Amino acid sequence: LVAGGFRRGIGIETTAGDLVLGADATLTASSVTVAASGGALTVAGRVDASGADRGGRVTLAARDDLTLAAGGVIDARATAAGNGGEVTLASSGGDLRLAAGSRVRLDGAGGAGGGELLLRVAADEAAGDARLAALDGTLEGVARAIVEPVVTRAVDGLLDAGTVAGFRADLDAYMAAAPANLRGRLGSAADALLVRPGLELVADGDVAVVDPW
């Protein structure tokens, strides 16, 4: 792709099976998206979205486990001037791991600020935790690091004030314990994390919103 001149944006998606970016592989573009929509994603190579005047954007997503393996690098820094970029790592139904020996670079340059790292995982409501399994990689230049544990609820076709109030109560109950549990389990690597809950609504058919959200 890079040899063919695709440097502004690269998007790769598989709909079945696991996807691996090997240790000898490099993806280079201002915006890179890699999604394993039907399995797990392992990145042991290099994703380079660095830019001279600003950092780029990298999104890695998987239905199952998402692993930034030892030796894996995500580079979304600014190299000459400007702010660092944005990196999103998301697993909808598996564990998210940043292994020891992996690296995420979001540095700004020329006195500008660093970038943002978003880690989006499924919430484990029963344990008051989230499926962020390891945060052992090296994080550089991260101005803001967010963990977004996602709570999933089924909708029967109607969203009214009572239903919305129930969702809010569920999120409040989850957040009463989850941030402390996450930081306690992950140790000092999680001290600077902002824990921000997400809500995903699933419906088989149409949904009507009858009251203000």
Side-chain angles (χ1 to χ4, degrees), residues 182-203:
L182 268 168
R183 294 186 179 107
R185 178 170 57 80
L186 295 171
S188 60
D191 287 347
L193 291 178
L194 169 65
V195 182
R196 180 184 71 189
L199 177 65
E200 183 174 304
L201 304 180
V202 180

Side-chain angles (χ1 to χ4, degrees), residues 131-159:
R131 297 191 67 175
L132 178 55
L135 195 59
D136 298 327
T138 299
L139 306 180
E140 301 175 19
V142 179
R144 190 179 190 205
I146 302 166
V147 177
E148 186 176 279
V150 179
V151 173
T152 301
R153 289 291 181 270
V155 180
D156 63 3
L158 190 67
L159 273 178

Side-chain angles (χ1 to χ4, degrees), residues 89-177:
L89 306 178
S91 169
S92 60
D95 291 334
L96 173 59
R97 295 180 177 86
L98 276 68
S102 66
R103 191 179 185 189
V104 177
R105 305 190 67 181
L106 282 162
D107 313 78
E116 180 175 288
L117 174 64
L118 173 61
L119 307 173
R120 194 170 195 265
V121 294
D124 182 347
E125 292 184 76
D129 208 330
R131 297 191 67 175
L132 178 55
L135 195 59
D136 298 327
T138 299
L139 306 180
E140 301 175 19
V142 179
R144 190 179 190 205
I146 302 166
V147 177
E148 186 176 279
V150 179
V151 173
T152 301
R153 289 291 181 270
V155 180
D156 63 3
L158 190 67
L159 273 178
D160 56 17
T163 304
V164 172
F167 293 155
R168 287 176 174 159
D170 291 344
L171 291 176
D172 287 344
Y174 172 75
M175 287 296 290

Side-chain angles (χ1 to χ4, degrees), residues 64-78:
D64 300 330
D65 292 348
L66 171 57
T67 302
L68 185 61
V73 176
I74 300 173
D75 190 346
R77 63 195 164 109

